[in-house]
Amino acid sequence: MLDQRAPHSPLAGAGLLLGLLASCGGGADGPDPSSKGEAALAPPALLARSSDPRVAEAREALGRGDATAAAALVPAAVRVAEEPEASLLTARLALLQDDRPAMERALAEARRAAPGDPSVTAVSAELHAWAGMAETAEAELATASAALQGAEPGPALLRARAVQLLSTQGGARAGLALLERALEVDPELPYVGRALGQAHLLVGRSFMATDKAEALDHARQSLEWDPLDVDARVFLADALMTAGEWGSALTEYEAVLAAGKDLRAEVSLHYKNAGVVALAQGHRELALSHFLRARALGLDDAGLGTGARVLEDEAASRFEAALAAVSEDGPARARELVEEALRLSPDDPRAGLVEASILVREAGELLEGGSAEGVEERLTRALALDPGAVDARLLLGHVLYARGAFAEAAEQWHLVVDALRLDGVELPEPLHVRLADALVRAERTGEAREVLEAYLVLEPTGRWVDTTRQLL
């Protein structure tokens, strides 16, 4: 429903309305004086409107500015509508299609069909105002105003003058009052939705700095009257944000983006700010969601600021949990946690480390189950992801040794022994003995002796000293 409360500078009463029309160049709603010099004009009548449903559907499509639907509906409506309405339907469609010559031809046809009809003049003024042809619209309104000779303006004229006022600096509130007056005169008046949407949009913007509630009220009415207007939806989102209704505002911004309006830079900042507020209020998951959306809309880590650090901290905790889950909960849960972490920190190298750990775990489970199928492939992939994965090299050495690839096995075990010694970790098994054995089988006996001697020198108190001496 249209809010019938008058704006702060209302135009109340027919006398004041008529004064505005006369002083600013009013709209025609009465017929022109005839060439025979008639002294008075009959009061303006409502423009006859067809009740045929095809015409009603065409009027509705034209009224909401749906050019595609109107193009499909108007031809059929024109065939059943009487003049001048048929030509006026054609003129409105031509305006939607930005075909000015066609609009002018249709308006001329409407004038020929109904000479001096004030409603035709009013519609012509209205369409010229929508087209941005202010001087033409003003001239038609001035002529019509003079022709009224004291008669009260009809709804079509009120609508036309309102449309012209909407394009005039400071005229939005007066235009809104005229549109509301026109609906009082003719509650079924068509073609007012877009005008009322624009009027509420402009009036609402004037309240943004002074009255948040009033601005939001006009924003909602604007979109109610003109649901297809993307600018009205942007204004509603802005008003909701200003009023502190963050969730609803972001929903409206998403609708704006879906409609194809590129506001990614602005909306990403709104998401960032909403995330900071959510974080301060203890809603961490909601904050993470907002920060992620801000990043998806193009805000870089420098722009995210605190948001980027929060995402990084959360990703780190998820990766740690994933590593723990490899042994505690199994590979499936670990991979779920990695996916969650990657949402927070895309292309994070820690994902490869966790995946390597998962592959080693899977390879070990296969070996424990007595199957070697796919083990070597998993271990090779694990080392590609994490070349420092000692456990992967250890298992891979066993697999290679088992299939007789002694030199390759020795290479893997050599790297394991060196890595553990560098880290100061005692060998968990007599791996140097296995390494020496692999070297002997690979016919590299001299290297095998060097491995055993190195153990006695580097680990003189190790658990495998006696065994090593016996082998030597």
Side-chain angles (χ1 to χ4, degrees), residues 31-95:
D32 296 330
S34 70
S35 58
K36 296 181 180 180
E38 293 178 346
L41 296 173
L46 298 180
L47 177 65
R49 295 193 292 266
S50 171
S51 60
D52 190 291
R54 290 167 289 184
V55 180
E57 287 180 354
R59 281 197 296 261
E60 183 180 349
L62 289 167
R64 66 175 182 266
D66 188 341
T68 302
L73 295 169
V74 166
V78 168
R79 287 193 291 270
V80 297
E82 297 182 358
E83 291 291 357
E85 185 178 17
S87 292
L88 294 179
L89 290 170
T90 301
R92 289 185 181 276
L93 176 60
L95 175 64

Side-chain angles (χ1 to χ4, degrees), residues 284-363:
R284 188 173 180 81
E285 287 299 322
L286 181 60
L288 292 172
S289 175
H290 288 335
F291 292 144
L292 284 172
R293 184 58 178 149
R295 177 184 281 166
L297 289 172
L299 197 61
D300 59 18
D301 285 353
L304 272 174
T306 298
R309 292 191 294 274
V310 170
L311 291 174
E312 174 62 24
D313 291 344
E314 190 66 25
S317 67
R318 303 283 173 98
F319 280 124
E320 290 177 7
L323 281 171
V326 174
S327 57
E328 296 173 4
D329 303 313
R333 176 56 182 158
R335 286 195 171 99
E336 289 177 3
L337 290 167
V338 168
E339 289 180 5
E340 294 176 11
L342 286 174
R343 285 181 54 246
L344 302 165
S345 181
D347 303 320
D348 196 303
R350 288 172 293 191
L353 302 181
V354 178
E355 180 63 19
S357 183
I358 292 172
L359 291 168
V360 174
R361 169 68 184 273
E362 291 176 342

Side-chain angles (χ1 to χ4, degrees), residues 92-108:
R92 289 185 181 276
L93 176 60
L95 175 64
L96 275 184
Q97 295 174 334
D98 198 25
D99 188 345
R100 303 293 172 80
M103 182 186 81
E104 298 294 352
R105 289 194 298 271
L107 288 173

Side-chain angles (χ1 to χ4, degrees), residues 212-287:
K212 297 176 183 178
E214 188 75 12
L216 182 56
D217 180 53
H218 281 289
R220 287 182 168 130
Q221 291 191 71
S222 176
L223 199 59
E224 182 178 346
W225 280 108
D226 194 1
L228 297 181
D229 188 355
V230 177
D231 288 336
R233 193 168 293 279
V234 172
F235 174 51
L236 175 58
D238 290 341
L240 287 166
M241 188 67 72
T242 302
E245 298 184 28
W246 298 77
S248 298
L250 293 174
T251 298
E252 293 299 332
Y253 282 127
E254 289 293 350
V256 171
L257 293 172
K261 193 173 184 67
D262 188 3
L263 289 179
R264 287 173 295 179
E266 297 92 325
V267 177
S268 65
L269 289 174
H270 288 314
Y271 269 106
K272 171 202 168 179
N273 294 333
V276 172
V277 171
L279 193 65
Q281 294 175 345
H283 304 300
R284 188 173 180 81
E285 287 299 322
L286 181 60

Side-chain angles (χ1 to χ4, degrees), residues 39 112-113 168 179 226 238 274 306 308 382 398 447 465:
R112 283 192 293 271
T168 304
L179 290 168
D226 194 1
D238 290 341
T306 298
H398 287 299
E447 291 179 48
V465 170

